[in-house]
Amino acid sequence: MSACVPTRADEPRREEHSHEPHSPPPARRPRLAGADVSASIAVFLIALPLSLGIALATGAPLQAGLVAAAVGGLVAGRLGGAPLQVSGPAAGLTVVTAELIHQYGWRTTCAITVLAGLAQLGLGLLRVARTALAVSPAIVHGMLAGIGVTIAVAQLHIVLGGVPHSSVLDNLRELPAQLARVHPAALAVSVLTLALLVLWPRLPGRAGKLLRKVPTPLVAVAVATTTASLLGLSLPKVDLPSWSSHALAALPDGPVLGLVAAVLTITLVCSVQSLLGAVAVDKLVAGRPEQSAQVGRSDLNRELLGQGAANVVSGALGGLPIAGVAVRSSANVHAGAVSRNSTMLHGVLVVVAALLMVPILELIPLASLAALVMAVGIQMVSLHHIRTVTRHREVLVYAVTTLAVVFFGVLEGVTLGIAMAVGVALHRLTRTRITHDETEGVHHVHVRGQLTFLAVPRLSRTLHLVPQGADVVVELDGSFMDHAAYESLQDWQNTHTVHGGTVELVGRRSGVRIGEPTGPTGLQALTGVAAEESADCRCHPWTPWRNHQCEIPEAALLRDGQPGDAQATGADDAGGGAAPSDADGALRADGTDSTGGHGGIRDHGGTGGHGGTGEPDKAGEPSPTGGGADALARPDASEDDTADASEDTGTSTATGTGAGPGADTGAGTSTGARTGAAADTGTGTGTGTGAATDTSRPSARQLARGISAFQRNTAPLVRGELARLAREGQQPSQLFLTCADSRLVTSMITSSGPGDLFVVRNVGNLVPLPGRESGDDSVAAAIEYAVDVLEVRSITVCGHSGCGAMQALLASEPGAAQTPLRRWLRHGEPSLERMSDEDRPWARLAGRAPADAVEQLCLTNVVQQLEHLRAHESVARALRAGQLELHGMYFHVGEAQAYLLAEGHEDRVFDHVGVADLSA
């Protein structure tokens, strides 16, 4: 290890990060954080009025809502698998519970809640929580919308001063009569509550920002209660009887089938709502880096167990059924909670309120609570959800579920929704479009959609429109072909070829032919993989962009009349070559590249560096490294940093050459089995008995396939835009300077298109200082051209995790031979010096410390290269004129997470960029 690697062991504030890289941090004693305390208060202030309002809407004793809120906070909060999800009486259970109370009575309903909790415990022990997520979101949203409509219509009667009926139809039928006898005081209190619910979140100005921190439901109910008390309005109010007379669960009494259906309904609704809520909370937390660093992802099976235990306790104590509540959970996350302590403390506060605040709670008018619950019901009919299901063509499932819940009940509505979803899926599966056209003497048969036995008659009719002896291309664009369709297609192909015609069957990737009918499956036929190639091929229609290659067996290549690899002697598992994940290579300490000149595409089965015919290592799994030349730079390299390094103990007698696509830049040599360079095209020499040509290499075939797929699928979509750019010239707004690593797809991580970015890539995203280029002015020339000619408005320097150049810098030894790679990497030495300087604060990520020294150097290097940029005259001149901005960026490959260097931070903090930032 070089002496320039910083240790900083004498710096106390860094000692907490002294554990081994990639190891878990030291265990800390649990404590109650201030953020959890404030969050629990905010959630309590929301939960208190909502719990009373939901109990009122169900017809249960009002104390049952408080019991459920307390148990949801204490039991589900402690045992559940979603730390920040808040459970309690949910509006989604209102209709179900009201029906059960009306049919079986309150004490039997409590018993049903206990049995539903036991059922949830059983499902949690069976670990089937993920299965519940298979329910279509359109069904869930439709169920919630139907429940929301039912709640709103029922509570409207209380808002008007009347009494609701048991069904939606009865409530709608009696609504005209209720409007004729409106109670003015109840209506006034309800209107005041609704007005505050709408206007309070929209208060303008700085004062409004402060006032909006008070929960809206609390403000609405408190103001309405105060107004009613000051005016002396005669209204029905909350009536909390003595806890000594509180009704507990009793043995269930009723028909067995009805009770079983009730238990299943409660179990289904509670489970699905809670699990979907846990997933939603995970998404909220992921967009807040200060919390995601301290809160792990939800354990759904544990969450199901926690919900089951909470329902058992709540039902036994005479409380309402419990589920995860979106409103309270969202408030908990946005209030900054960092652990389950906030959820549990909110339950404690509910217990305290239920015991000590009874006189205050009994001042609340029922009309105010009804208006609050009616507003919640209306919000459950979400326009966002309607737009989403419409965009995904599932509006029919949504509408059927909603209407069925409103008019028939929750269980019936969900059942009809599932049936409709299955029907829609079957319709899509059988909806296949088959067309035939002729272009320049070649007949094209296009099959769009899934090819099943139901489409065989249409396929047969279309194929027989093709005249005998014609040249035919059959294009299959789908993800499934069953055996009946495959046999029909192959029979026609055999008959057509016998009569002198030619048939080419292609999948989604143009030019990939289907082999002879020797037994490939429908999926293999559809994806264009020949039968003899299917044994080692793992291609799928969605994988071409993933740096993925099919393993083409040697026998297949020989059958095609092309020479393949001969056997090599020794114990070479992967042919002495490596297929790393870094385009700039897993750089060794001696300055060479153990990847053997990898150019962005794996080199299996052909020449150019394959010394054997064994199976390749799986991407992302560390391979056994040999000593000496093929050793990687980092002995502790993780699966995120290196891949597919293997021993090279084989010998060979002949060499071959080949070319393939690669990264934009990068170079390396391998002393094992091959040498090569990776640029726009790569060349390499490999070992193996016999000689081979490019056409036998999977990389060469993949290049042709990729270009063909571009011409067929992408070129028609971008041809117009590229034609405009060709006429007008390039006018990019940004210069993007990043590493040559093949995993950094600049257009993908910046959502850019042609003409948006002027990209410069090199090993290590380095910017040489002016005057120190030593004959290599390429980076300086690109900077000058971008700033002075293209007049870009910003320059971004982007580093990334697991950078091979930074690994090589850390592993460099003084006095080593000055190879071209070492001479280039000397431009990164100022970054090492900066990291070693104790007078300068380290660059860091918001929310967590760097994982290891390599990540620390990657962050420091971005900051240092920005300073190098400022030293260039063209950049300095544009900065002085206010015409240019500089940005630092760090991309964590394994997390697919981008970080931007915050402006105005002297301590160089890289802030998390999340989904929530897109709206800004």
Side-chain angles (χ1 to χ4, degrees):
M1 184 64 70
S2 173
C4 63
V5 178
T7 58
R8 297 205 176 189
D10 57 336
E11 192 165 334
R13 63 191 180 92
R14 300 260 165 89
E15 289 180 358
E16 62 182 23
H17 306 309
S18 61
H19 55 279
E20 289 294 318
H22 306 298
S23 64
R28 296 181 178 179
R29 183 178 304 173
R31 59 188 179 85
L32 187 61
D36 286 332
V37 175
S38 59
S40 67
I41 296 174
V43 175
F44 160 73
L45 295 176
I46 295 174
L48 189 64
L50 280 177
S51 299
L52 292 172
I54 292 172
L56 173 67
T58 61
L62 296 183
Q63 289 168 318
L66 300 178
V67 171
V71 173
L74 293 171
V75 179
R78 179 65 185 88
L79 302 179
L84 300 189
Q85 175 163 255
V86 181
S87 301
L93 297 167
T94 302
V95 175
V96 180
T97 308
E99 291 178 355
L100 294 179
I101 294 174
H102 177 74
Q103 186 171 358
Y104 298 108
W106 170 241
R107 300 188 69 184
T108 298
T109 301
C110 292
I112 292 172
T113 302
V114 173
L115 294 175
L118 293 175
Q120 286 181 296
L121 288 174
L123 294 176
L125 293 175
L126 293 175
R127 306 185 67 81
V128 297
R130 290 282 175 186
T131 306
L133 300 181
V135 179
S136 170
I139 297 175
V140 177
H141 298 327
M143 177 190 73
L144 294 178
I147 292 173
V149 171
T150 305
I151 292 172
V153 173
Q155 297 308 300
L156 181 58
H157 283 269
I158 302 179
V159 166
L160 298 174
V163 178
H165 299 274
S166 58
S167 70
V168 177
L169 290 176
D170 290 339
N171 284 320
L172 291 175
R173 192 179 300 112
E174 296 295 328
L175 188 58
Q178 183 63 60
L179 290 172
R181 54 176 189 273
V182 171
H183 192 291
L187 181 60
V189 170
S190 300
V191 170
L192 176 61
T193 304
L194 292 173
L196 288 169
L197 290 173
V198 173
L199 299 177
W200 190 262
R202 294 173 172 80
L203 291 177
R206 183 175 301 177
K209 183 177 181 180
L210 294 175
L211 292 174
R212 289 197 301 269
K213 293 183 178 180
V214 183
T216 303
L218 177 67
V219 172
V221 174
V223 171
T225 301
T226 303
T227 302
S229 299
L230 293 177
L231 296 179
L233 300 178
S234 177
L235 291 170
K237 297 180 181 179
V238 170
D239 182 16
L240 293 176
S242 172
W243 284 103
S244 59
S245 60
H246 179 63
L248 303 179
L251 293 175
D253 182 18
V256 175
L257 291 179
L259 293 174
V260 170
V263 171
L264 292 178
T265 303
I266 293 289
T267 303
L268 174 66
V269 177
C270 289
S271 301
V272 173
Q273 183 170 340
S274 298
L275 295 176
L276 292 176
V279 174
V281 169
D282 283 345
K283 293 179 181 179
L284 287 176
V285 173
R288 302 172 66 88
E290 67 279 3
Q291 289 171 284
S292 61
Q294 304 179 57
V295 181
R297 293 184 62 83
S298 299
D299 182 340
L300 297 185
N301 288 302
R302 179 179 172 181
E303 178 65 16
L304 197 54
L305 290 171
Q307 295 292 333
N311 273 312
V312 170
V313 175
S314 179
L317 296 180
L320 291 169
I322 289 174
V325 186
V327 176
R328 299 172 213 181
S329 301
S330 177
N332 194 34
V333 173
H334 287 105
V338 294
S339 73
R340 62 179 72 247
N341 290 334
S342 64
T343 303
M344 298 173 62
L345 185 56
H346 124 269
V348 173
L349 293 176
V350 171
V351 172
V352 173
L355 296 177
L356 303 180
M357 296 178 59
V358 173
I360 298 176
L361 297 178
E362 289 183 337
L363 296 175
I364 301 175
L366 295 182
S368 179
L369 292 179
L372 174 63
V373 177
M374 186 177 73
V376 172
I378 294 173
Q379 292 172 356
M380 292 171 70
V381 186
S382 171
L383 294 178
H384 171 70
H385 290 160
I386 295 175
R387 285 194 296 266
T388 300
V389 298
T390 302
R391 186 167 59 249
H392 291 88
R393 296 182 299 170
E394 293 183 326
V395 67
L396 185 61
V397 178
Y398 179 90
V400 168
T401 306
T402 300
L403 295 175
V405 168
V406 170
F407 293 108
F408 301 111
V410 175
L411 184 60
E412 295 84 353
V414 170
T415 302
L416 289 174
I418 293 175
M420 180 56 64
V422 171
V424 170
L426 290 175
H427 173 71
R428 290 176 178 174
L429 183 64
T430 59
R431 186 183 179 186
T432 306
R433 290 179 296 170
I434 304 174
T435 59
H436 166 252
D437 60 77
E438 180 183 357
T439 305
E440 298 180 354
V442 178
H443 292 259
H444 294 267
V445 176
H446 301 271
V447 180
R448 298 290 184 265
Q450 320 312 321
L451 199 52
T452 65
F453 66 94
L454 297 173
V456 168
R458 283 180 290 152
L459 176 65
S460 179
R461 284 195 300 269
T462 304
L463 291 176
H464 282 85
L465 294 176
V466 178
Q468 293 182 356
D471 296 331
V472 186
V473 175
V474 179
E475 181 183 345
L476 308 175
D477 186 5
S479 59
F480 177 78
M481 177 195 294
D482 69 4
H483 189 68
Y486 176 74
E487 281 195 348
S488 175
L489 189 59
Q490 287 293 344
D491 290 343
W492 172 83
Q493 179 185 12
N494 295 336
T495 303
H496 190 78
T497 53
V498 165
H499 288 83
T502 64
V503 179
E504 182 179 7
L505 274 65
V506 299
R508 287 189 174 185
R509 297 187 300 163
S510 178
V512 185
R513 300 186 63 179
I514 298 178
E516 295 300 322
T518 55
T521 64
L523 181 59
Q524 291 164 0
L526 184 60
T527 55
V529 181
E532 63 267 16
E533 298 178 17
S534 63
D536 293 305
C537 182
R538 298 177 179 85
C539 280
H540 298 286
W542 47 271
T543 56
W545 69 277
R546 293 182 54 206
N547 190 21
H548 172 82
Q549 295 301 305
C550 286
E551 177 75 8
I552 301 180
E554 175 186 4
L557 296 175
L558 293 175
R559 279 196 296 272
D560 290 338
Q562 299 170 343
D565 287 341
Q567 292 182 353
T569 61
D572 186 356
D573 289 331
S581 55
D582 287 352
D584 54 348
L587 302 174
R588 299 207 313 265
D590 62 357
T592 60
D593 184 355
S594 66
T595 68
H598 171 63
I601 288 186
R602 294 171 183 258
D603 190 0
H604 298 321
T607 62
H610 193 63
T613 57
E615 286 288 322
D617 292 338
K618 294 181 180 179
E621 294 181 2
S623 304
T625 57
D630 280 347
L632 298 182
R634 291 175 56 206
D636 61 335
S638 67
E639 65 181 10
D640 182 50
D641 301 321
T642 61
D644 295 359
S646 57
E647 292 185 299
D648 183 16
T649 59
T651 61
S652 58
T653 60
T655 62
T657 61
D664 293 338
T665 59
T669 63
S670 173
T671 59
R674 59 177 173 175
T675 62
D680 290 330
T681 59
T683 63
T685 61
T687 59
T689 304
T693 63
D694 266 355
T695 56
S696 67
R697 297 185 57 194
S699 57
R701 297 181 63 180
Q702 179 68 13
L703 173 63
R705 292 174 181 176
I707 295 174
S708 178
F710 167 80
Q711 295 298 148
R712 178 168 61 92
N713 298 326
T714 308
L717 302 177
V718 301
R719 186 170 287 117
E721 177 65 12
L722 290 179
R724 183 189 65 80
L725 291 173
R727 292 191 307 269
E728 301 175 2
Q730 62 169 331
Q731 298 176 349
S733 60
Q734 302 180 55
L735 167 60
F736 200 85
L737 199 153
T738 188
C739 187
D741 192 297
S742 61
R743 300 167 297 178
L744 262 68
V745 185
T746 56
S747 58
M748 180 178 69
I749 64 178
T750 59
S751 297
S752 305
D756 291 339
L757 298 180
F758 186 71
V759 181
V760 175
R761 303 183 71 144
N762 61 54
V763 176
N765 48 275
L766 301 178
V767 180
L769 282 169
R772 298 186 183 179
E773 295 89 347
S774 299
D776 183 4
D777 294 326
S778 60
V779 177
I783 293 172
E784 180 181 348
Y785 183 77
V787 175
D788 293 343
V789 179
L790 299 178
E791 298 181 347
V792 297
R793 293 292 175 259
S794 70
I795 302 178
T796 301
V797 176
C798 177
H800 68 96
S801 62
C803 181
M806 300 300 105
Q807 297 176 39
L809 275 174
L810 284 172
S812 61
E813 296 291 343
Q818 289 299 306
T819 64
L821 178 62
R822 283 193 174 280
R823 286 195 295 273
W824 171 254
L825 289 181
R826 78 184 188 281
H827 299 303
E829 291 176 358
S831 300
L832 270 178
E833 297 171 0
R834 185 186 190 96
M835 194 169 71
S836 304
D837 189 353
E838 297 183 0
D839 294 332
R840 291 185 175 183
W842 276 4
R844 58 189 177 86
L845 298 173
R848 70 172 176 87
D852 49 29
V854 175
E855 185 168 60
Q856 181 63 71
L857 183 56
C858 292
L859 297 171
T860 305
N861 184 57
V862 172
V863 177
Q864 184 64 36
Q865 301 312 313
L866 287 173
E867 292 196 3
H868 288 186
L869 265 176
R870 293 185 179 92
H872 286 260
E873 177 58 30
S874 56
V875 174
R877 183 170 57 251
L879 288 173
R880 287 193 298 269
Q883 299 172 349
L884 186 65
E885 296 180 353
L886 301 184
H887 302 288
M889 177 177 169
Y890 176 75
F891 186 75
H892 195 289
V893 177
E895 297 174 356
Q897 179 59 59
Y899 297 83
L900 284 177
L901 182 62
E903 298 180 1
H905 281 270
E906 295 299 329
D907 51 354
R908 302 299 185 184
V909 179
F910 285 79
D911 281 339
H912 175 285
V913 178
V915 176
D917 300 315
L918 298 179
S919 60

